[in-house]
Amino acid sequence: MSITNASAYEAAKSAKSASHTLATLPTSARNDALTAIHTALSEAKEDILAANARDLELAKKAAENGQLSLSILSRLDLGKKGKWEDMLKGILDVRGLEDPGGKESTESFVAISKVISAALENTQVPNTAIQLVTTRDAIPQLLEQDRFIDLVIPRGSNELVRYIKSSTKIPVLGHADGICSIYLEHSVDPDLAVRVVVDSKTSYPAACNSVETLLVEEAALQSVLPPVAEALLAKGVSLRCDANTKAALTLHLPKSSSAILQDAEEVDFDTEHLSLVLAIKTVPIVTDAIIHINNHGSHHTDVILTSSEEIAEQFMSGVDSAGVFWNTSTRMADGMRFGFGTEVGISTNKIHARGPVGLEGLMIYKYKIRGAGHVTAEYGEGEGQKSFKHQKIEL
Amino acid sequence: MSITNASAYEAAKSAKSASHTLATLPTSARNDALTAIHTALSEAKEDILAANARDLELAKKAAENGQLSLSILSRLDLGKKGKWEDMLKGILDVRGLEDPGGKESTESFVAISKVISAALENTQVPNTAIQLVTTRDAIPQLLEQDRFIDLVIPRGSNELVRYIKSSTKIPVLGHADGICSIYLEHSVDPDLAVRVVVDSKTSYPAACNSVETLLVEEAALQSVLPPVAEALLAKGVSLRCDANTKAALTLHLPKSSSAILQDAEEVDFDTEHLSLVLAIKTVPIVTDAIIHINNHGSHHTDVILTSSEEIAEQFMSGVDSAGVFWNTSTRMADGMRFGFGTEVGISTNKIHARGPVGLEGLMIYKYKIRGAGHVTAEYGEGEGQKSFKHQKIEL
């Protein structure tokens, strides 16, 4: 069912009603539906890839005119080696579909949606359990359906997330970008520091879990920082240094290296560069690093590199981020790596789900009580009244 | 610190900063602060009760003029037997203060706030960790501080909650009122039904967990409904019946009872009466009860009374409410009864915390990873690369 053909009210209401049916279906019926979707998509591979090819054609033109980034173009291609298979595997893993992009993928989505709708016809899962919105016009009306919609998960730019949040009473699971920091403490093994910082910055610079800011303890300026900086420069990273780190590196690095150091501006410490740019700043001790991160970071993932367990624990308690890691890469913050399957996103919210979010992060509980005529009036402090036990139950 | 004297920005920022300090304090320091607050409040009892008496004076006049309800007036009185002691006990239980009312309690709150501020001076807990808003003017500015405020928990009317939700990007933990239903299935033991329905309706009619709607299975009209209705009438409950239930009761009850039955209007099934009024409706079978509750209820707490485990489980799966109870009172939905201590409220949200919410319902997790130089580039499908284990760990 496509929401262009129905009012947002009806669409949301029928989806809610479908969710009630889904809740009462046995697992076997839900699995049957997933299997039916999987089979139908497998059989429709040719049609869907043809629709995707038409999307790609338009997107290529948009990319040539500079209206679309090459990274979106590359994510759009369902025919790319392994992508189709991964998507189908994801369905069987009950992990949901990977998101292949925005309006650029309309034809592919319509083709996929038709196949899924048809597949559900022969199962107990209501057709309206999955609905496709093909035009942005429907979004504002959908955002008004707080009676029927429990949660909105916007996938896209920071601007999109901000727009959605300010336009609805429905809770929004925000998947913000990341300004992740690494704090370099003087006691860390320099080889370990090199490995972790290089991985955090260079293994996928466009990812939200890549490091953007390196905070260097004063006592580490002359010892640990130079080999780390040298390794980053060798990988083509632009280093934007404050005065202290620049002075230390100028002293310790070959002239050819120190000549390409850049000067950091204040804005660099509040920017998600998403490229091979790293801002570097000196801090006196760990508490200053914590304060900097809490004020300038995005509460996504922050790392301390140190051999001191005490300082590591202090950092991990004090930094108010979804992920606080000791001696490992910021890029470990990932649903797949955490074992959640394909992730819905990484949440910087402080309610419900925080950090990488998989299927379990979308769940909520309900309280079921199976009684035998128990009534509240029988419990209390009075004579002959019962009291509640409230014992911890061993697992 | 009172927010009348500081900008909302500074207030929110300093509270956030205080939260970061709090996170790093050892439990002993936090407990010291609670003890200090407890001691200071005990010592200031006289001053606070005097301030409260001034609030009460004004409130009594407002109540006499009909501007304030008697139930608010009664909740306002901190001098009432056991109330002061309960409040102080709550602090030691780390359960937070009970809410004694709105602007009517300004003087009491200011007195309490001053004592708490002074008590915190001599502890490691920052003074700005607890702040008092004394004027409503500050609210809109505070609701804009989504950078610093993680969660808003409005306590008050449905209108207040709705206003807050539509005025902020900050997540709102909504503590809505309750339209709770009981479904009477024909196989239930009539004595059990009488006990549970009477408790659900009459033990505290103004509470959000009291029953507002009785759904009666057609097959129970002639058997279970009459004794239940008779017991309710004996307790002074006004019964607003649909045609079928009225006909059945007219047949089975003494004329003196059936004469006082009222006719239900559609609006009765969407109303939280909060008084000794109960709307009664016939439904063919359990699935109709589920549909009625999902459409007309407030997703708070709903009960099925039946001797059939199968039908009970069907009801508990299908009803989309925080609490779904079998053969027990709706009024069991309560943080104290669940063992949560004084509750923050009962959430009908479907994210984060649902049902009765205590201290634990306000918590969120963070992911701490303690590594040894682990980097993402070493993991993958390639030759010699590591893979993630993702094993379930036995507790």
Side-chain angles (χ1 to χ4, degrees), chain A residues 271-284:
Chain A
T271 303
E272 186 183 28
H273 293 101
L274 292 172
S275 62
L276 285 175
V277 171
L278 184 69
I280 310 186
K281 189 189 184 88
T282 317
V283 287

Side-chain angles (χ1 to χ4, degrees), chain B residues 181-184 213-217 269 279 281 283 289 292-293:
Chain B
S181 296
I182 294 180
Y183 171 57
L184 211 55
T213 300
L214 184 66
L215 299 170
V216 184
E217 191 194 16
F269 298 101
K281 189 189 185 86
V283 287
H292 177 96
I293 291 169

